[in-house]
Amino acid sequence: MITLAPREFHLFQAAGRDFLYLVPSAAIFALDDITSAVLAAVTGTKRSEDGVVDALAERFDGPTVREAVADLLSVRAIGYEHEPESRTPRVLPLIPAALPTGRTGVIPLTTMVMNVTNQCNLACTYCYEYGEDKIVDTEHGRKPKFMSEQTARESVEFLLRESGSVAHLTFFGGETLLNFPVLQSTVAYGRRRAAELGKSIDFSLTTNATLLKPEIIAFLVENDVGVTISIDGPREMQDRFRVFHNGAGSYDVVAPRIKELLKRHRSKPIAARVTLTSATLDITRIYRHLTEEIGFGEVGFAPVTTSPGQGYAIGERGFDSMLAQFRALAQEWLACSLENRHHGFSNVTESLEEIHKGVSKAYPCGAGLGLLGVSTDGDVALCHRFAGSDAHKLGTVRDGVDRDAQVAFLERNHIADKTDCSRCWARPLCSGGCYHEAHVRYGTTTHPNLHYCEWIRGWTDTCLRLYGELSERNPAFLARFDREEVKAEAVV
Ligand code: SF4
Ligand code: SF4
């Protein structure tokens, strides 16, 4: 007897029907009654095809059941026992100088994050750059505190050399605007050089908003620079951790400046990026404040990156609370989307875009691939969070990327080598999670972020359900994800 066996999938319900998320291909299928019944018959009990036909004989005729079995076999939702399952192929991305003979194609650099300074005028208690979990000594280390204009120009040349026709340059810090003169001249230089080379370049920055003075806002508006603002919510939440060096809270300084920016900068959505901690976890209140009282159109949340011992680290119960609140806000997002209205909970929008595009990641993010970070002296690293760390250096803007180091990093960090993740249905979208978080938690980028698996799976399931609801009730809404351009990755 040849026994049928379920393959890797995740079942979920939405809009009153069953859906199947196929793990190896990251494809989603809406199931009809008979296909659901066949899957149920194959799961849990060992049955041959004849056995399945017999088990369902009272509800469905034999030929229809056999057809459903054939359909499920063809998409590899089920297979035959002892037949090897398909795994995530261990194929490295193609990198120009590392191409083995006979392979074609490249993954160009898409986003370069330039740390124009490693200094900050705030002293946020939880900051990964300055707190106890820091990996680069920005105060006493050998890196310059500010990037020079020369290094910035060399960085632009590096980006334009390494990118395809479109390049994103994100300015980052420290507090980015502490080095506004270099930012200003780099935008002008980047535009000119991109035009000369027939490429397109766009600019964005991340800021704590303390230095958003009228002349800086005018520059950002005139130059169409995208802005992400790190802010944690209403006054008492913002001032809990986001304080000046003298301990004073920053809310009263940033709130009016952000409002002015939002009033004047209309060409691009200005995003708020909230760091959640165990002490600031009232997501609904934060969202309402930032959208209704401050005026943000987009708000994204992320749990603080920290070692587990810190008091502000989010523990198991905190993740449960976070998930419940995310789910509630996601329902609001769904209600708006069903009526083609905008809702600014950007965590949902980003996840649904990935689901819609069938993203299946061999790596958790673009770090070391399409995204690279540059430190104040022009060293190139995995991403902005590793910029300045010699242990994670991948070259310099002058000499280019060290392809051997890059390939070695990608070899070590491939999802196929994360054995803890090998049976996880959420791995096409998670792929082990942020390298920086893993480094802070476990001391190495190669370790999957196992402390938040339940949260990741719970949230991914929620997003799949939203996707199922939309695909049944307002499929036209999903078409907007087809039109989305390749965007710069959120940089925080
Ligand atoms: S880190 Fe956890 S949730 Fe993410 S892929 Fe690995 S096992 Fe799954
Ligand atoms: S997810 Fe983590 S490793 Fe990846 S780019 Fe963001 S901070 Fe860097």
Side-chain angles (χ1 to χ4, degrees):
M1 175 178 89
I2 304 175
T3 310
L4 293 167
R7 292 302 188 217
E8 269 199 293
F9 56 76
H10 174 67
L11 276 176
F12 61 97
Q13 274 90 35
R17 70 185 300 176
D18 289 337
F19 286 83
L20 181 80
Y21 177 61
L22 266 184
V23 178
S25 60
I28 298 176
F29 296 93
L31 303 181
D32 56 15
D33 287 351
I34 186 162
T35 328
S36 289
V38 169
L39 265 187
V42 169
T43 309
T45 309
K46 289 191 174 187
R47 289 192 167 100
S48 64
E49 185 170 328
D50 290 342
V52 173
V53 170
D54 290 346
L56 300 179
E58 282 188 13
R59 293 169 59 201
F60 305 104
D61 64 61
T64 321
V65 171
R66 289 186 197 283
E67 232 173 67
V69 168
D71 286 347
L72 289 168
L73 281 168
S74 73
V75 298
R76 301 190 65 79
I78 61 175
Y80 296 107
E81 215 179 29
H82 309 307
E83 184 190 49
E85 287 191 35
S86 56
R87 315 290 316 155
T88 306
R90 207 176 187 314
V91 177
L92 281 179
L94 304 176
I95 300 164
L99 280 177
T101 334
R103 285 171 67 177
T104 54
V106 295
I107 290 195
L109 178 61
T110 311
T111 303
M112 180 181 75
V113 188
M114 233 169 84
N115 286 25
V116 289
T117 177
N118 53 34
Q119 301 299 292
C120 194
N121 57 342
L122 290 186
C124 304
T125 327
Y126 54 51
C127 181
Y128 63 82
E129 207 164 340
Y130 303 103
E132 290 172 33
D133 297 324
K134 69 178 174 214
I135 56 174
V136 180
D137 186 349
T138 48
E139 205 46 49
H140 307 101
R142 56 176 178 80
K143 299 281 176 195
K145 292 185 171 30
F146 295 92
M147 182 179 277
S148 68
E149 195 161 316
Q150 174 64 19
T151 301
R153 287 180 174 218
E154 288 166 348
S155 303
V156 167
E157 294 298 334
F158 167 76
L159 170 64
L160 293 172
R161 234 178 12 249
E162 295 284 329
S163 63
S165 57
V166 181
H168 301 282
L169 197 168
T170 295
F171 298 100
F172 200 76
E175 169 42 37
T176 312
L177 294 176
L178 283 173
N179 200 0
F180 183 61
V182 163
L183 187 155
Q184 243 178 328
S185 59
T186 307
V187 169
Y189 182 78
R191 282 249 156 78
R192 178 166 66 74
R193 288 293 294 137
E196 284 168 6
L197 296 167
K199 295 194 176 193
S200 125
I201 188 166
D202 67 23
F203 302 93
S204 58
L205 63 85
T206 299
T207 176
N208 63 27
T210 53
L211 300 172
L212 280 175
K213 295 178 186 145
E215 59 275 21
I216 292 184
I217 292 177
F219 174 84
L220 300 177
V221 174
E222 273 161 32
N223 287 279
D224 201 24
V225 177
V227 183
T228 297
I229 291 177
S230 306
I231 181 169
D232 286 356
R235 183 181 287 102
E236 76 278 11
M237 297 199 204
Q238 170 81 357
D239 291 352
R240 181 83 168 74
F241 296 105
R242 302 191 67 81
V243 293
F244 287 95
H245 290 270
N246 65 5
S250 56
Y251 183 87
D252 288 338
V253 174
V254 302
R257 297 191 162 178
I258 296 169
K259 285 181 183 169
E260 188 59 22
L261 176 77
L262 288 165
K263 202 162 75 191
R264 295 181 54 194
H265 200 336
R266 299 297 202 172
S267 61
K268 288 214 163 114
I270 308 295
R273 200 288 193 164
V274 177
T275 298
L276 295 169
T277 69
S278 58
T280 49
L281 208 47
D282 189 343
I283 292 163
T284 313
R285 174 132 187 276
I286 295 170
Y287 182 80
R288 297 266 180 273
H289 179 82
L290 293 178
T291 51
E292 292 167 16
E293 290 171 50
I294 301 286
F296 280 106
E298 302 281 343
V299 181
F301 299 85
V304 64
T305 296
T306 174
S307 52
Q310 305 287 3
Y312 46 77
I314 298 178
E316 209 173 303
R317 282 168 63 189
F319 274 113
D320 289 347
S321 159
M322 203 171 112
L323 182 56
Q325 294 184 70
F326 263 44
R327 282 181 168 152
L329 206 49
Q331 285 308 314
E332 264 183 29
W333 184 96
L334 176 64
C336 288
S337 303
L338 287 172
E339 295 173 1
N340 297 312
R341 286 187 291 121
H342 173 78
H343 189 281
F345 185 20
S346 55
N347 295 68
V348 180
T349 316
E350 285 160 17
S351 296
L352 260 69
E353 185 175 348
E354 288 193 334
I355 290 170
H356 183 75
K357 291 181 171 164
V359 165
S360 182
K361 301 175 185 171
Y363 302 96
C365 62
L369 278 166
L371 181 147
L372 291 169
V374 178
S375 66
T376 51
D377 64 352
D379 276 359
V380 173
L382 292 177
C383 76
H384 51 295
R385 289 198 179 192
F386 291 101
S389 160
D390 287 339
H392 304 92
K393 181 172 164 176
L394 291 182
T396 72
V397 292
R398 291 152 208 115
D399 302 332
V401 176
D402 176 342
R403 300 297 176 194
D404 291 340
Q406 187 181 26
V407 168
F409 171 81
L410 295 169
E411 289 258 12
R412 281 196 310 276
N413 287 274
H414 195 277
I415 184 66
D417 286 340
K418 294 180 178 163
T419 42
D420 290 298
C421 305
S422 63
R423 292 270 145 207
C424 173
W425 66 262
R427 72 176 185 280
L429 292 163
C430 171
S431 199
C434 169
Y435 300 127
H436 178 255
E437 173 116 15
H439 186 273
V440 169
R441 276 268 168 167
Y442 307 99
T444 170
T445 57
T446 56
H447 200 295
N449 284 287
L450 300 177
H451 57 286
Y452 60 36
C453 296
E454 287 312 312
W455 142 252
I456 290 289
R457 284 191 280 261
W459 178 237
T460 307
D461 177 74
T462 300
C463 291
L464 287 169
R465 287 169 195 262
L466 295 185
Y467 190 83
E469 289 282 343
L470 277 169
S471 67
E472 291 289 305
R473 296 167 61 193
N474 188 10
F477 183 89
L478 297 171
R480 72 184 52 197
F481 295 129
D482 296 325
R483 296 191 296 272
E484 289 284 312
E485 293 166 25
V486 179
K487 286 186 295 199
E489 305 210 16
V491 171
V492 282

